[in-house]
Each structure stands twice: as C-alpha cells, then as structure tokens.
Amino acid sequence: MHIHAYEKLWLAFAVILILLLIGSVTYGAVGPGVAMVADSEDQIDPGALDEDERFAEPRVEQVGDNHYAAYVIAYQFAFEPSPIVVPENSRVTLYVTSRDVIHGFEVAGTNANTMVVPGEVSEITVEVGEPQEYGLLCNEYCGAGHHGMEGKVHVVSEEEYANLNEGGETA
Amino acid sequence: MSAELETEPTFFDTFPEEAKVIRAAFLGSFFALGLGAVFGIIQTLHRTDIFRGLIESTDYYTVLTAHGVFMVISFTIFFLVGLFTWALVRSLDRPLVNIRITWTWYGLMVTGITMTGVSILAGFTDAVEMSADVLFTFYAPLQAHPLFYAGLAVFIVGTWLAGADWFRTWLAWKRDNPDERIPLQTFMVLTTMIMWYIASSAVAASVLLFLLPWSLGLIESVNPTLTRTLFWFFGHPVVYFWLMPAYLLWYTVLPSIAGGRLFSDPLARVVFVLFVLLSTPVGIHHQYLDPGIAEGFKFISMTNTMFLLLPSLLTAFTVVASVEYGARKRGGTGLFGWLRTLPWRNPAFTGMMLAGLMFAAGGFSGMVNAGMNINYMIHNTIWVPGHFHLTVGTAVALTFMAATYWIWPQITNKPIYSLQIGLFQVVLWFIGMALMSNAMHAQGMLGVPRRTAEPEYSGFEYPTAFGGFEELNIQIAIGGTLLFISTVFFLGNVVLTMGNPRVSGLAESIPPALSGPTDAPRVLDDLRVWVGIALVLVVLAYALPLAAIINDGGLLGPGVGTYPVWVDAAARALGQVAATAVSPVVDTLAFASSRVGDAAAAVSVEVFA
Ligand code: HEM
Ligand SMILES: [Cu+2]
Ligand SMILES: [Cu+2]
C-alpha cells in the first residue's frame, strides 16, 4: 500500500499526540493522586438503608487523625445531611448512596463529582481548605423535581466544628 | 468505481424505485429535525431563564426527552439510512435485491419511532396515563411507559433489516463481479453496519431482556449499573453511527464538489476498519464516575478512546489534502492562497467545510472529556452538551443539511429552490453553534449542570468567571435562536424545492481516488477478518466488567425499586417539588469571583481504592 510522505508525517504526529494524552492521564493517576471513583465498596440494599450502620443516620464523623467520613444519602429530591459540615484543612471521605434512582453529587465549581447509583456506594476523598460554603447539586436527571435537588457543604473553623458537636458524638 | 460514466442520467433516472425510498427516509429525517428544533428552542429559552412561560419546569424533561430522541435517533438515523441506500446503490451501480424488503424496514423504523414518540409526547397531557420522561439515555430505575421501549426495539430491528438489505445487495453484486474490489462507498456502508450490529446488540438485549419486561411488570426489578453499562456499550459507537455517514460524504462527495478527488482510497478503508475495531470497546469512558466499575476497566477504556482519535486525525488530513488538490487543479496557488479558489458560494461545500472545522473544535473538547482525571471537572455539566453539539449537532447535522443541497436534486430531478438561502442558512448555523457551544463549555467550567430546567440554585451562586452565569445564558439563548432560525430556513428551502418542476441535467459525478483501491491490500476487503477482531476486542473490554457487575449486583440488581414516570407522574412530582423547593435566596457572600481556581486546587479529589 502506497503511503504519501506527508501522510506518514501526520500519522507519526497523531500517534505521538495520543501517547502524550495517555501519558498525561497516567501521570495524573499515579503522580498527584487524582484517581477514579471505583468499585471499592460493596453493594447495598437501597430499600433497607435505615438498617444500615452507616446510612441509617446520615452524618459526618471523625475516623482518624484529621480524617472525617461523611455518609450521605441522595433521594428524590434532596441530600441528607444538608448541610454537610466538615472542619477546615481536613481530609474528608464521602460515602454517597441513593435510596431510589440514579443521582449526581457535584460540589459546584470543584472537581468533587460522582454518580450516585442505587445499590452502590460511591467513595471519594477530598482535601478541604479554608472555611467556606459550597453549593451541592444533583447533576443527573432524577425525575420531575430534579432542578430543585440541592444541598450544601460547609467547611467551618475547628472551633465552630467542635461547638457543633458538643452534644456528643465526636470521636 | 464506475462513477465517471455518470454524467448524464441522474440517480433518479437510473434507480427511480430506490430514489423514492431515499426521499422518504430524508423526509422522515427532516420532520424529526423540525420537531427537535422546536423542542430545542423551547428548552434553550427555558433553562436560560429568558422565557419560562410556555412550559412548567416539570415538563422540561418531556421536552428534553423529545429533543434528544428526535434529534439523535430519528433525524440522524433516518438521514443515514437514506444516504447509505444512495451510496450503496450508486457505487454498486445496481438496484436493491427486493424493494419490498426495503419498504418493510422503512415501515418498521417509522412504526417504531412513532410508538416511542407518542409515548414521549403523551407526557404533556394528563389525559392519558402515559409518559416517557426518561431522556434518551433511559437510565433505570426511572421507568418509561412500555410503548417507549417497545418502539425502540421495533426501530432497531428496522435498522438491522436495512443492513441485511444492503449486505444482500452487495453479495449479489459480488457473485457477478467476483474479482473486483468492494467499491469505496459500499465498503463504508458495510463496515459501518458491522459496527452497528455489534453495538446495537447490547441495547437491544437491555431493552428486550430487562427494560421492556420490567415495564410490563414481568420482572420485579433491574440492575441499574448493568442496564447503564449496556446502554453505553451502545452509546459510544452510536456516535460513530452518526458520524460515519458524514465521513462518507467528506471522503467521497466533498472532494468532488471542490473540483478534486479523494487523495487515497486505501487510507479511507483503513480509517473505516479502525472505527469498526475501536468504537465499541470504549463505552466505559461515559462511566468514569460510576461506582461499581473498577478503575482498571476505566483505564483500558480510556486508552482505547485515545487511540480512537487516530482515524479522526487521519480523516482531517485526507479531507484537507483532497480539497487542496481540488483547489490547485482550479488554479489555486500559495501556502494558503489556494483556499480562495474553492467554491465557497456553494452551500454544500461551505456547509461541509464549516462542519469539519467545528468537528476539529469538538475534537479538542473531546480530548478533555476523555481524560479520566479532567473529566471530574466537567462530568454531567453543560460542558457535555456543548461538546456534542459540535460533533453530532454540527459535524453531523450540518454536513447532512449541506449534503442535502447536493444530493436532493439527484434523487428528485428538482433543482434546489435557493442556493443563496442555503448558503445563508449553513453560515447562520455555524455562527449560532459557535455562540451556543462556546457559552455551554464556559458554563460547564463554572459547574452548571446539564439536563436541568432551572440551573440556578437557592443556596449558592456560581463563580463569576468567563463573563458569569447570566451573561453566558444570554449567549446560549442567542446562539440557540440563530440555530432555530437556520433550521427553519433549511426546512423551508426543502419544502419550496419540492414544489419545483422536474428538469434534466442535474447529475453530478464522483471521480475515483488519486490512489485507487488496487493500492490497498486485499485483506482490507475481507470483512470477516474485521468482524472477528472487533468481536475479540469487545469481549476483552467488556467480558470482565459485565461479569463483575452481574456478580456483584445480580442480573436483577440488589433490590432496587421501580420509579415509573408514567403513573400519575405529574401529581407525584408536583407534591415532591413543593416539599423540597426553597425560595430563592441570594447568597452573595459564599462565592468570590476568584473561586474557580481556588476550589479546584483546594478540593483535590483522590480515591483510595
Ligand atoms: C435547533 C437547534 C438546537 C438547539 C437550540 C439545541 C439546544 C439544546 C440545549 C440547550 C440542550 C441542553 C439541555 C439541557 O441539558 O438541559 C440540548 C441538549 C441536547 N441536544 Fe440540542 N439543540 C439543537 C440542535 C441539536 C441537534 C442538531 C442535535 C443532534 C443531532 C441535538 C442533540 C441534543 C442532545 C442529544 C441533547 C441532550 C439531551 C439530554 O441530555 O438528554 N441538538 N440541546
Ligand atoms: Cu437529580
Ligand atoms: Cu463516548
């Protein structure tokens, strides 16, 4: 098969471009630790969330040194808990599941974004910085009231967080 | 190819029966385009809050389902079955084996899409308990009326029969011409159909084994991750099902309109073979953010996706080279000076060139989508519709409209009513899309979600980068309006053309490629080899993920409920909205203007798998 010289040049350029793209994503995955939502969690019965140890009471709790876990339920058409309150400069692992249909979980304007599928638990870990209020929204169509489905993520100062949890359950 | 001989009689003269089917397919397609455009402008003005008086926000999703289904199922696929019939019959230079079979598949497709369309449009009225507000992706456990799924199944079977019709005609030709190479256009039709059979088998399985029986109450529940994965098994290659007909036009028709000829026939074949092989084992790239699918599978899909850029990059080269060749034959000179000699007044030419240009832009935003990590920023934001209005919404749609100006006279013997209106219309589409798509990309960066009737929220405001949410809304609305006007001009032009008297002398020819098919290795034409390899690649990419999904959640899912949108949907939804709707509070403190960068840096996502 006859291939023109320019075609060969272009072909080489194309292959290099593709390898660079793959390389950059691979670097992103192993380098700065940007990774994927994966199937790290077991399946869950979406009809029996109130019997589940993590989701019966959607909440934020401390699980380690400066490490918090947030158990969040999405349902038509809200998130629970809302707001999700976490202390500043900490690491937060979010466990999100759905009680009914497929939803999205997007902290607006950030890359904290995952699908929420009934029967599955999405796990993402985020590093939060200074105190700030973020908007939380559902970005997957989930029914006629989808556009009203929103919540909040509050990053608060450590004092405020401690005050909020005075009542008791902090680890 | 036998093309040079064709200067005298038109397609209409030589194959009048086939011309009728093709015309019927095109008219079906244009009807859907008109409906889709009406819904398109309604939703554009609604979501940008320019005009919300026409529909309730809860009906927005009926509109959006209709827009998606009519545009990407009916408009595109009806056009392409017409185009493929033309390309195959023309390049084999023989009629279809049995025109009654041809009308049968056409009838099945019309019946199927009518069933689905009725089930969607019924969502506007409470008089019938029927609705299919599940969008064109129909993710379970939201459940549409059974008619919606049944219609889809009938429609797909129709396309399968169409493929069989073309394969039979080719086999008949092959018996008469045992030693000839498959003509290029026929090769393109057949390879595209191979891809379509592989791809659509998954969505057919999903509909027939799970969704339809479930909507009829025969099975209790479905596994949402499974049906979603089967959808995307089909959902990526379907993109190429829309795109391949545009490629066929760019490779074979565009160079001849430019006064040149295709650069290399063998390379065109290689490109189509690459699409057969690579377009299916990539669907998981739509599920980068799904729980329930392991990271490794996502990575494999990402790598395949990047390689899928290759055939498109090769196409860009060949198309530009072929057009340049045409320009130089017309006397064009200089590094870029040859561009001036091209037939820019011809709407068919200009439309396809502009479509190709937008496709290049779409390619760039596609690379961002494909990167697994960057995808977190824009997944399910309005960036994504911004992207695919460049690809399917322009590269494909504008190419089809432009091609109509060239092909319609040949299948009807009627000259186009006004080529000036045609030129105006394709340029208007380009401008409208540039505005709408650009602003959608920008809003996506701010986190504005897609598929949302009222993308402004009570509890927070978007950051004000790129001109800000409201200003971008205005750009989207202006762009969408221009697109709508452009569509009206297109349809009007077609209708007026139909009123023209038949004349003779409208035939156009397609000269053979500079480097002809004999330069191509024979194995390229051995379709069985490519089917085999394609199947192996699909099994490699999908066997393990599907096994894992079924193993984890079971065939029918871990007890997920059923959420029909068609049983008293309106009442149920209204109640819930009232309960959750919060009165709009303007919370200006929360979002400072510089927040986009900060937020991306401060909230870095990482997962410990
Ligand atoms: C008249 C011109 C058009 C206008 C004004 C328009 C407008 C829009 C808008 C604003 C959206 C986003 C809605 C949302 O996510 O909330 C959208 C979605 C969409 N459009 Fe268009 N569009 C046009 C033409 C087309 C064409 C030609 C195609 C394809 C051939 C197309 C395919 C789609 C699809 C598949 C969606 C996504 C539907 C979904 O999310 O379920 N559109 N369109
Ligand atoms: Cu939602
Ligand atoms: Cu895709």
Side-chain angles (χ1 to χ4, degrees), chain B residues 485-497:
Chain B
I485 296 171
S486 170
T487 316
V488 172
F489 276 106
F490 172 74
L491 296 174
N493 213 352
V494 170
V495 170
L496 291 171
T497 298

Side-chain angles (χ1 to χ4, degrees), chain B residues 404-426:
Chain B
T404 304
Y405 295 124
W406 184 84
I407 213 173
W408 188 267
Q410 300 176 58
I411 57 166
T412 58
N413 277 4
K414 295 181 178 184
I416 294 296
Y417 173 76
S418 165
L419 290 174
Q420 282 79 12
I421 293 181
L423 187 60
F424 171 73
Q425 178 263 322
V426 296

